Amino acid sequence: MDYLDQLNEAQREGVINTEGPTMIIAGAGSGKTRVLTYRIAHLIRDKQVDPFSIMALTFTNKAAKEMRERIETVVGGEARNLWMGTFHSVFARILRAEAHLLGYPNSFTIYDTDDSKTLIKNIVKELGLDEAAYKANVVYNRISAAKNRLISWQEYLANPELKSDDASNMRPEMGNIYKAYALRCFKAGAMDFDDLLFNTDKLFKEHLEALNKYQHRIKYVLVDEFQDTNLCQYFIIRKLCSRWENICVVGDDAQSIYAFRGADITNILNFERDYPDLKVFKLEQNYRSTQTIVEAANSVIKKNSAQLPKTVWTANEEGNLVELIKAVSDNEEGRLVASSIFEEKMQHQLKFSDFVILYRTNSQSRAIEEALRRMNIKYKVVGGLSFYQRKEIKDLLAYLRFALNQNDEASFRRIINLPKRGIGDTTVDKIVIAANDHAISIWEVLQNASSFIGGRAAGAIDDFVTLIKRFSIEIERKDAYDAAFEISKGSGLLRELYEDKTVEGLSRYENVQELLNAIKEYVDDPEKTDKSLSAFLQDVSLITGQDEDKDKDPEKVTLMTIHMAKGLEFKYVYIVGLEEDLFPSQMMLSSRAELEEERRLFYVAITRAQKRLFVSYALTRYRFGRLKNCEPSRFLDDLDQRYLKVSTKFSGLESSPRPSGNYARSLVNGIKRTTTSAPVQKSATSYKAPSDFAPSDTSVLQEGMKVEHPKFGYGTVTKMDDSGADRKAKILFDDFGEKTLLLSFAKLRIHN
C-alpha cells in the first residue's frame, strides 16, 4: 500500500506541497510525526531530492531516531544520508568543519553541563567572589539564557538593563564571570552546549562564504516541535533557508510549555509575518482521544488570547465524562487516586502501565507514592528519583539520623561537609582511621579533633560537633516537626537551597519543604502517640525500604511532571493538585503570558489521555509546615462543565449537587467535611442528620460541651486547641470514637 493512502486529506496536503515556506499546525494526537516523516520520504522518493540536501531538526535524539527508522521503511538505506538530528548534533557537525574560521580548532572539545559548572566554580573562586551568591548553577543558567538570546559577553557588559538586573539580585559581577568563562572556553578550545548554537549563528553572521556554502547545500529544512525553538535556533534556521526558502515547520502553539528553557512562542505566532508567502496546513483531526477529552481540551485552550486559530476534532467514540475527584487533604487525594486506579484496573482488565499520574511539581509525588505503596501498587517515577531517593531528601534525613545517632557512619560521611565547611575527603579518612586505630567511635574522634586531626580542619570539626550537640538537645525537647525544622534551618541546608533561584534549585527547595510537611502531618495525626523524630524516621525507613526494589517489571503506574509527559500518551490519565497557587503555579501569575503558558501546560496534560481523564484537588494541603486551605484551580472554571462530573465513587467528601456559574469556586460551598489525619473509618453504626440540622457558632465551644455532627452523630468535646491560625476540637463521638476536627470546617450543633 502506498504511504500516501495512509493519510487523511489535510495530512496528504502537508506531505505533497513541498515547495516554499510551509507551516503545519498539528493539534495534539493529529499524527504530526507521520506527516513530517512522509514529507521527507516524499521528497526523496517522488521528488528525487538528494537526501544530502535535506536537513531535519528535532529536539530529542529519540525523535530523530524514530523518524529516520520510519523514513527507512519507505525509501530504504538512503535515509541515512539525511542531515537529521537534534539542533545541537546537526550544528556541531557544521562547526566541526568550520570552527577554524572562528579561531577554534576543528577538533574542539564539547563541555557537558558538569564541565561548565566546574569551570564556573573555579572562576568564581579565582575572582574572590562569594561562592554562596555566585552558585555555579545560577551563573550557568544566566549565561545560557544570554547565549540563547544571542547576547555575547561584550554585549552583556555593555547592557545597562542586564547590569541593573544583576545588581538588584546581588550579583553585580555576573557579566565579568561571563567574560572570563567565554575567554577560558575559547583558550581551552572548548564549546559548551549553548555555544554549539551561539557559534553557528556567529559563523553564519560573520563568515558569509560559510553561510553561502550551506545555503547552496541544504535545499530543504524541516523543523519538528517548532513552538519550542528559542531565538538563537530560529535565527540560524532563517539564515540557512534564505536562498531556497523551502522551510517547513511543524508544531502546535497550544503545546508551547518551555519558556523557562528559553523557548519563544512568538517564533510560531509571528512566522507568517516573516514569510508572507507562507502555506499553512492544519492537522485538526485527533486520533488519540475520545470526543469528550478533545472537547474538554478545546474548551480550556480557547481561553488563551495568544494562539493560532484551529478546531481540533475527532471521529473516535464519545467516551466518559472527565471525572473530578475532591479530597480533604493531599494525603487523601493520594489515597483516592490510588483506589481509583486499582478499581479501574480490576473492572476493565487493564494493566498498571495503562495509567499515568501527572503533577505540576516533583514535590507532589510524595503523597501519591506513599498511597500507592500502601496499596501495593508498583510504580515508576519518570524523569526523576522517587521522593525519598532524591539527594536533598537524603541529605536532610542524614542530618536528622546523625543528630539522633552519632555512631551512624553513613550519615556522618554524607553531612560532614554539607554545606561546605572546609572538611575534605582526606580529613574524613583520617577521622575514620583514627576511630579504627583507637577502637573508639567516630563521634569520640570528632569531639577531640584537635588531638587527632589538628590544623584548620579541627576548628571546623569543633563547630560541627557543637551544631550536632545543639540538634540533639532540640530533638529531646521538641516534637519531630519542630526539631526537624530547626535542623534544616540550623544546618544551612534550607538557606542553600532557597538561595539557588534556578528551576532545579526551586524544585529541590520544594522537595525539602514537602518532607517537612510530611513530618508536620505525622505530628498532627491524632492516632500517632509517639511524636518524636526517632518514631518518624522509623516510619520513613519502612517506606524507603521498598525503594530498593530494582525489578524490571514494566507493569507499573507511571508518575511524572506534565513537562515530562509532552509527546506521550496513556489510556488513563490522572492530573492531580488542581489548586490555585499550585496549578497554575504561584510563580507563573505575574503576567498574562505566564498564565497562558500554565493554561497550555494544562492543555498538554489533558491531551495525553486516550480513554479516560481524571482531575483532582485537595481542600487542604500542608505548605511550609502549616495546614493551608486550598482553592480549586481557575482551570476547572475554564473546562466546560458539560464534560465534567464529580466522582462519587471515590470521594471522601459528602457529595453535593452541581452548582451553576463559577463552578470551581462554588465546589467548596456546602461541602460538609472534616479533617482528620487518617481516613475516617466508619463503624457499623450509621447516623443520619435530621432535616432541620443547623450548625451552631463554634466560637463559644468549650471542653465538656455536648455536640452533634451531621456525619458522626453525638459526642462530647474532650479537648480544645486554640494554638495557631486554625482552632481544633477533640471530640469523643458515641459511635465513631475520638476525632480531631478543624472548627473552621466542621459543622457542629451545640446541645448544652
Side-chain angles (χ1 to χ4, degrees):
M1 189 173 73
D2 191 66
Y3 61 91
L4 291 176
D5 297 337
Q6 301 173 36
L7 305 173
N8 65 34
E9 194 179 334
Q11 291 172 332
R12 198 179 298 111
E13 289 295 315
V15 166
I16 62 176
N17 287 280
T18 56
E19 306 308 300
T22 306
M23 179 161 66
I24 300 171
I25 302 168
S30 62
K32 76 169 175 69
T33 308
R34 174 178 283 191
V35 170
L36 199 54
T37 51
Y38 284 180
R39 186 180 173 96
I40 296 169
H42 184 70
L43 282 168
I44 298 169
R45 202 181 85 171
D46 294 281
K47 296 278 182 146
Q48 303 299 304
V49 175
D50 187 346
F52 284 98
S53 63
I54 301 171
M55 181 182 283
L57 298 166
T58 65
F59 274 84
T60 64
N61 288 313
K62 182 170 172 266
K65 184 170 176 279
E66 283 175 6
M67 279 170 61
R68 195 186 295 274
E69 284 169 0
R70 285 203 203 181
I71 296 164
E72 270 191 49
T73 60
V74 181
V75 302
E78 278 290 281
R80 292 171 198 168
N81 300 325
L82 290 161
W83 288 69
M84 178 176 274
T86 63
F87 281 87
H88 292 90
S89 66
V90 170
F91 296 152
R93 185 175 160 187
I94 290 174
L95 287 170
R96 283 281 178 228
E98 313 297 341
H100 61 277
L101 297 173
L102 297 171
Y104 286 86
N106 288 355
S107 58
F108 61 85
T109 304
I110 299 175
Y111 280 173
D112 65 17
T113 308
D114 286 342
D115 297 328
S116 297
K117 288 178 182 177
T118 302
L119 177 55
I120 288 166
K121 272 182 195 168
N122 293 337
I123 290 167
V124 167
K125 200 176 278 184
E126 289 161 19
L127 292 174
L129 300 171
D130 181 359
E131 289 176 49
Y134 294 95
K135 281 195 170 63
N137 202 28
V138 175
V139 177
Y140 175 81
N141 281 17
R142 184 72 169 163
I143 293 172
S144 175
K147 287 179 182 175
N148 287 336
R149 297 202 311 276
L150 295 172
I151 300 168
S152 65
W153 66 263
Q154 295 93 334
E155 289 164 319
Y156 194 104
L157 283 170
N159 189 313
E161 199 176 314
L162 291 171
K163 285 172 84 171
S164 151
D165 197 24
D166 287 337
S168 64
N169 286 316
M170 312 300 285
R171 298 190 189 95
E173 295 300 311
M174 194 69 85
N176 289 323
I177 299 173
Y178 182 8
K179 176 183 176 181
Y181 174 74
L183 293 175
R184 286 278 280 277
C185 284
F186 183 74
K187 191 178 173 187
M191 298 189 199
D192 64 20
F193 287 142
D194 295 306
D195 285 331
L196 297 175
L197 306 180
F198 183 85
N199 284 336
T200 303
D201 181 77
K202 189 178 178 186
L203 173 76
F204 289 163
K205 203 161 40 188
E206 296 177 1
H207 299 274
L208 293 180
E209 71 284 6
L211 175 62
N212 196 36
K213 174 176 147 185
Y214 289 97
Q215 281 177 338
H216 277 78
R217 188 177 294 178
I218 308 296
K219 292 181 179 161
Y220 294 86
V221 175
L222 300 96
V223 184
D224 191 18
E225 304 285 8
F226 184 62
Q227 75 280 350
D228 295 332
T229 53
N230 60 36
L231 193 69
C232 183
Q233 288 162 332
Y234 184 40
F235 272 37
I236 297 169
I237 296 162
R238 278 189 60 187
K239 288 187 184 81
L240 261 179
C241 299
S242 60
R243 177 173 174 81
W244 306 101
E245 289 207 339
N246 290 327
I247 176 171
C248 172
V249 301
V250 182
D252 181 7
D253 56 295
Q255 295 187 65
S256 176
I257 58 173
Y258 291 117
F260 68 94
R261 286 191 200 160
D264 191 343
I265 193 173
T266 58
N267 290 349
I268 192 167
L269 294 177
N270 298 334
F271 194 65
E272 199 161 0
R273 187 192 64 193
D274 296 337
Y275 293 96
D277 301 332
L278 185 69
K279 291 195 289 284
V280 178
F281 302 101
K282 295 180 183 180
L283 308 183
E284 295 174 307
Q285 184 175 356
N286 177 299
Y287 291 93
R288 177 184 297 154
S289 311
T290 64
Q291 288 178 26
T292 300
I293 292 167
V294 167
E295 291 300 332
N298 286 345
S299 70
V300 167
I301 203 64
K302 74 177 185 187
K303 299 290 194 299
N304 272 9
S305 53
Q307 60 174 305
L308 298 167
K310 62 179 173 299
T311 307
V312 179
W313 62 278
T314 184
N316 295 345
E317 79 269 22
E318 186 178 345
N320 296 68
L321 292 173
V322 178
E323 203 156 311
L324 174 69
I325 298 172
K326 302 180 291 186
V328 169
S329 64
D330 50 347
N331 273 353
E332 190 186 53
E333 180 185 43
R335 183 175 65 79
L336 295 177
V337 166
S339 303
S340 171
I341 289 174
F342 187 78
E343 179 117 347
E344 293 290 333
K345 177 189 183 288
M346 294 314 213
Q347 208 169 337
H348 303 290
Q349 289 79 53
L350 298 163
K351 302 176 190 160
F352 280 131
S353 52
D354 292 330
F355 296 84
V356 69
I357 302 170
L358 302 177
Y359 34 77
R360 178 64 181 84
T361 63
N362 270 308
S363 61
Q364 289 168 258
S365 79
R366 196 264 315 165
I368 304 288
E369 285 184 60
E370 289 181 9
L372 292 169
R373 281 198 183 103
R374 286 193 192 101
M375 291 193 69
N376 288 320
I377 297 173
K378 288 185 176 180
Y379 66 89
K380 59 178 180 182
V381 180
V382 175
L385 294 164
S386 69
F387 184 80
Y388 286 103
Q389 291 298 316
R390 292 168 194 165
K391 179 187 178 299
E392 56 278 10
I393 300 301
K394 283 187 151 187
D395 291 343
L396 180 52
L397 287 174
Y399 259 107
L400 302 182
R401 287 187 179 120
F402 194 73
L404 269 165
N405 171 19
Q406 284 84 46
N407 293 321
D408 183 345
E409 186 182 330
S411 295
F412 157 73
R413 284 180 176 273
R414 192 169 189 100
I415 66 170
I416 183 65
N417 201 35
L418 192 79
K420 296 265 192 297
R421 50 174 67 89
I423 304 170
D425 291 343
T426 310
T427 305
V428 172
D429 290 342
K430 280 182 186 171
I431 294 166
V432 174
I433 290 165
N436 291 336
D437 287 353
H438 295 81
I440 56 177
S441 68
I442 283 172
W443 183 241
E444 284 180 82
V445 175
L446 293 173
Q447 287 178 299
N448 299 283
S450 53
S451 307
F452 288 105
I453 308 299
R456 278 191 306 171
I461 292 169
D462 287 342
D463 292 344
F464 175 73
V465 167
T466 306
L467 193 70
I468 298 299
K469 284 178 175 174
R470 178 159 73 79
F471 292 163
S472 297
I473 295 166
E474 295 286 347
I475 290 169
E476 283 174 25
R477 289 177 43 230
K478 294 177 174 174
D479 66 28
Y481 173 73
D482 288 337
F485 181 75
E486 203 55 50
I487 292 169
S488 65
K489 205 167 72 173
S491 64
L493 285 182
L494 260 187
R495 190 189 315 110
E496 187 169 77
L497 291 169
Y498 181 75
E499 286 172 354
D500 184 351
K501 299 299 185 188
T502 62
V503 174
E504 301 84 358
L506 182 65
S507 178
R508 286 194 286 270
Y509 180 72
E510 284 176 346
N511 285 336
V512 169
Q513 287 295 347
E514 184 57 29
L515 177 61
L516 293 172
N517 291 340
I519 302 173
K520 183 67 174 160
E521 276 181 54
Y522 180 90
V523 169
D524 288 351
D525 187 342
E527 294 187 10
K528 303 284 188 199
T529 49
D530 188 347
K531 312 283 188 184
S532 68
L533 189 61
S534 62
F536 172 78
L537 288 174
Q538 184 177 308
D539 263 30
V540 165
S541 63
L542 295 173
I543 292 171
T544 54
Q546 296 179 42
D547 278 338
E548 305 308 313
D549 177 21
K550 300 292 185 197
D551 68 68
K552 302 293 181 192
D553 185 4
E555 183 46 6
K556 293 177 180 177
V557 174
T558 304
L559 276 66
M560 59 173 79
T561 64
I562 302 167
H563 282 101
M564 287 298 303
K566 175 103 180 294
L568 303 176
E569 57 185 40
F570 294 85
K571 282 184 182 171
Y572 280 57
V573 171
Y574 290 75
I575 309 170
V576 299
L578 272 163
E579 299 139 34
E580 283 295 299
D581 295 339
L582 186 58
F583 193 18
S585 164
Q586 61 184 359
M587 311 291 290
M588 299 290 284
L589 293 175
S590 57
S591 70
R592 178 176 292 280
E594 287 180 344
L595 177 62
E596 292 204 348
E597 171 123 346
E598 285 289 284
R599 190 175 284 114
R600 289 195 294 272
L601 192 59
F602 185 41
Y603 175 82
V604 166
I606 294 171
T607 53
R608 298 313 93 200
Q610 294 171 293
K611 296 292 181 191
R612 293 291 310 274
L613 175 65
F614 297 78
V615 293
S616 69
Y617 73 89
L619 288 165
T620 61
R621 191 178 290 274
Y622 278 88
R623 303 289 297 267
F624 304 103
R626 290 176 65 86
L627 191 64
K628 299 277 188 190
N629 295 334
C630 304
E631 193 181 345
S633 169
R634 68 189 73 188
F635 295 155
L636 288 170
D637 286 335
D638 293 344
L639 204 157
D640 191 319
Q641 305 313 297
R642 288 176 298 170
Y643 309 115
L644 190 66
K645 73 166 183 178
V646 179
S647 175
T648 51
K649 195 185 290 183
F650 299 107
S651 184
L653 309 169
E654 296 173 29
S655 59
S656 56
R658 178 180 294 186
S660 57
N662 198 351
Y663 183 49
R665 306 296 176 271
S666 54
L667 275 170
V668 188
N669 296 342
I671 296 174
K672 300 181 176 85
R673 58 198 171 93
T674 64
T675 302
T676 63
S677 298
V680 173
Q681 301 295 320
K682 286 195 178 183
S683 71
T685 311
S686 62
Y687 169 81
K688 200 161 185 179
S691 56
D692 64 344
F693 183 91
S696 309
D697 178 8
T698 54
S699 64
V700 299
L701 198 66
Q702 293 175 9
E703 285 179 23
M705 283 186 169
K706 300 280 186 194
V707 293
E708 182 185 4
H709 185 273
K711 192 169 184 178
F712 304 133
Y714 295 95
T716 306
V717 180
T718 58
K719 191 179 176 186
M720 293 292 299
D721 181 1
D722 294 316
S723 63
D726 297 307
R727 291 179 74 231
K728 298 175 196 164
K730 196 172 274 187
I731 303 168
L732 183 61
F733 290 102
D734 299 347
D735 296 323
F736 285 81
E738 198 169 64
K739 305 287 175 192
T740 302
L741 305 184
L742 278 173
L743 295 180
S744 54
F745 294 146
K747 305 292 189 289
L748 296 171
R749 181 155 71 176
I750 299 172
H751 282 279
N752 280 35

